[in-house]
Structure formats: structure tokens, C-alpha cells
Amino acid sequence: MDANDEGSKPKPGPVAPEGTAAEEAAPGRGTGRTSLPGRQPTDDPVTDDPAADELVTDDPAADEPVAEPVAHPESEGTESEVVAPAEFGAAGPGEAGPEGVACPEAEAPVGLAALSLRYQIAAALALAVVAVVSCVHLGMVFLHVAPSNTVTKQHGHAIDEWIYPEFEQNWKLFAPNPLQLDITVQVRALVRAEDGTSRETGWYDLSALDGLAIDGNPVPSHTQQNELRRAWDFYIGTHDGENRPTGLRGDLSERYLRRIAVLRLDREHAGGRGAVVERVQLRSQTTNVPPPQWSDEKVSDQPVVRELPWWAVPESDRADGLTEASAP
């Protein structure tokens, strides 16, 4: 071989140590770095120590690639740390979940659940008592308005004690033939004046006085609307046509109606100031309500008068402080 042939051959360069090409091909080995899109590979010097290639570790995780900061897709070239969730679905209330969606916060308990155990028990007992009383009341009202049966015959007294007088029921408004009568209640009195003389007053129309108090009043009281009417119905229902009581409640209805009459007379200053009511007498005038013009029904327009006997007024009915609310 001549000199020209020797000069045309390339001169051999320095030979790289074994393992260098493997280190560059396998990411995560040797230098522990990898080339990622958007980043330029670094010019770190490669070690010339051949013994580094023979270093073996028993940790299997060492063969896995190491997570490196990655560039944000919107700003290429900037590094941001990648935070991996500790456990899938372990995000607490208000924290980002595995897909970046915030978990809703737990709602605070409301209603009875917000009370302590002691108050929850008290509320439950109160509701139970209300439910039981409501059921008993509905049952009593049903038995009161129902036709006579075995239960009402055996427990009629207990039913009446529950119903009267606050929850009394009647069918005069919703009956097939409602009440079509105009009833007015009037009263007069025998009074003793301050000089000791006695005289009889004229008739006071108590129903008309109640009507005047109701007329133009948007919120009339229960007393003005119903007290006198209910007292008269109570008396009529417990007395016959001769004004004789038909049951044990006859005397009670008489005392109730008499007290109302005395109170109304005292309000109107019957007999003048200082006069004392000694006896009272009540009467009613019942007139049929005229039928409408399109009806062929014919009714009498003459009032029917019912007069009650004179009742002596005991001292207890004239005691100071007696009010309509205190009457039985």
C-alpha cells in the first residue's frame, strides 16, 4: 500500500466509551434527563467513567422515567410543576377533584336535624301530642254530628262534654233547606231607681244593637256576631214550647241567656244611672225571609212572637267585674 492510499483513508477519531450510546437512547438512565418537545437538549458533559454503566440498583422504580417539569401548552418554554393527586377521588369539599372539578361543599342541616338530640325528642313528642289530640277531636266531632249509634249511646255524655260549648256543630247553613228566618231578640227589665222606686223599662232590641255594631265594621268581634244568636239557639234547643227545660242543660242555658241580657242592659244604662236591674224578660220575633222574585213560593210575612217568663236577677249576675267572657 502506498502513501497516497494511506492519506485517502479517514483518520480514526476518539472512540466513545461503551454505554454512552445506550445512555443517550434510554431516557431516565445515566444523566437522569430526557429531551421533551419545546426544550433544547443540554450540553452536559458525558462521564468517561465506564464503571458508571455497571452500577445496578435493586429499586425497580429506578428504571421508570422521572417526572420532569413540563411546559404549559399556552406558554411554551415556561415550566410548571405537575401535581399528581394522592388518591383518586380523595379531594375534600371545595378542593379540585381528579378532573379539576371542585367538589360541592356539604350543606348544613336544617329543620329538626339542626336541633340537638334533646330538642329533637321534645319536638317529636310535641308533634305526637298534637296529632293525637287532632285525631281525638275529629273523632268526637264526627260522633257528635253522626246519627245515633252504639258508641254515642254508650259515650254520649263524654262526647257532649268535649263538644259543648266551644265546638258545637249544626247543619243550618249547609243543610238542603238552610235557615230562612229572621230572628230578633229583645229584652225589658224591672229596675229599682236610687230613690227606691221601681219601674218597668221599654223593650231593647238586642239584635238591632248588635247589627249597628257590625254595620260598617270590617272586622266585627265574635261576640257581636254570634254570642246572642248562639245563646238564644241554646235556650230554644233545651226548652219546649212552654219554656220548660227538656234536659239537664236547660237550667244552664237559662242562666247564660239571663246574664247576657243583664250585661246588655247595664251597657245601655237601662232605668238611668244608678238603677238596679231586679227582673228581666226576653222575647223573640221570628219573621220569614221573603223568597226571591223569581220564586213561586208563598210565605207569611207576619212575625211570630215568643215571650219568656220574668226571671229574677240574683246578686251574682250584678257583681262588679262580671263580663260576657266570664258567663258560662
Side-chain angles (χ1 to χ4, degrees):
M1 182 181 296
D2 55 8
N4 293 333
D5 294 336
E6 293 179 358
S8 60
K9 293 181 179 181
K11 296 181 180 182
V15 180
E18 295 182 4
T20 304
E23 292 173 357
E24 293 178 356
R29 298 293 300 273
T31 60
R33 296 181 177 272
T34 181
S35 296
L36 299 178
R39 294 190 59 191
Q40 298 296 332
T42 59
D43 298 333
D44 293 341
V46 181
T47 178
D48 294 334
D49 187 4
D53 298 334
E54 300 178 0
L55 181 60
V56 180
T57 176
D58 296 334
D59 187 2
D63 294 338
E64 298 179 359
V66 180
E68 288 288 328
V70 297
H72 196 275
E74 296 181 357
S75 57
E76 185 175 355
T78 59
E79 297 182 355
S80 60
E81 295 183 0
V82 178
V83 180
E87 185 179 354
F88 181 81
E95 298 178 359
E99 297 182 358
V101 180
C103 299
E105 296 184 358
E107 297 182 359
V110 295
L112 293 178
L115 301 176
S116 63
L117 179 59
R118 179 176 60 181
Y119 289 105
Q120 288 182 5
I121 295 175
L125 290 176
L127 292 175
V129 171
V130 172
V132 170
V133 173
S134 300
C135 293
V136 171
H137 177 70
L138 292 176
M140 290 292 189
V141 172
F142 172 78
L143 293 173
H144 175 69
V145 300
S148 179
N149 51 69
T150 304
V151 178
T152 55
K153 290 178 181 179
Q154 294 181 355
H155 307 285
H157 180 72
I159 296 173
D160 291 343
E161 289 293 331
W162 181 276
I163 295 297
Y164 293 106
E166 289 83 4
F167 308 116
E168 182 181 359
Q169 306 290 318
N170 61 69
W171 296 98
K172 293 181 180 179
L173 179 60
F174 302 103
N177 188 20
L179 184 65
Q180 300 178 358
L181 301 175
D182 183 13
I183 302 174
T184 61
V185 179
Q186 302 171 352
V187 64
R188 63 179 178 178
L190 182 66
V191 298
R192 185 179 70 251
E194 292 182 345
D195 57 3
T197 60
S198 298
R199 67 182 186 89
E200 186 178 302
T201 66
W203 290 99
Y204 288 85
D205 194 336
L206 302 182
S207 299
L209 294 174
D210 282 348
L212 290 175
I214 295 173
D215 189 20
N217 187 355
V219 284
S221 68
H222 178 75
T223 300
Q224 295 167 345
Q225 297 180 82
N226 298 316
E227 182 187 54
L228 181 63
R229 177 183 64 83
R230 297 293 298 274
W232 184 258
D233 289 344
F234 186 23
Y235 178 85
I236 296 300
T238 55
H239 289 75
D240 58 14
E242 300 296 329
N243 297 318
R244 293 173 299 189
T246 57
L248 299 177
R249 299 172 61 83
D251 182 64
L252 176 63
S253 64
E254 179 181 329
R255 289 187 287 115
Y256 183 44
L257 186 60
R258 184 183 66 234
R259 285 193 178 189
I260 292 176
V262 172
L263 288 169
R264 301 292 181 91
L265 290 172
D266 183 69
R267 184 190 303 170
E268 299 298 325
H269 305 290
R273 294 188 177 275
V276 178
V277 178
E278 293 184 331
R279 298 169 66 86
V280 296
Q281 184 183 28
L282 288 97
R283 73 177 183 183
S284 68
Q285 288 187 355
T286 304
T287 308
N288 292 316
V289 176
Q293 296 180 355
W294 47 263
S295 176
D296 297 334
E297 184 181 1
K298 302 296 182 181
V299 295
S300 174
D301 58 353
Q302 297 298 319
V304 178
V305 179
R306 179 174 180 172
E307 257 186 30
L308 306 186
W310 283 91
W311 293 334
V313 179
E315 187 66 25
S316 59
D317 288 355
R318 297 189 297 264
D320 294 337
L322 180 64
T323 61
E324 290 168 310
S326 65

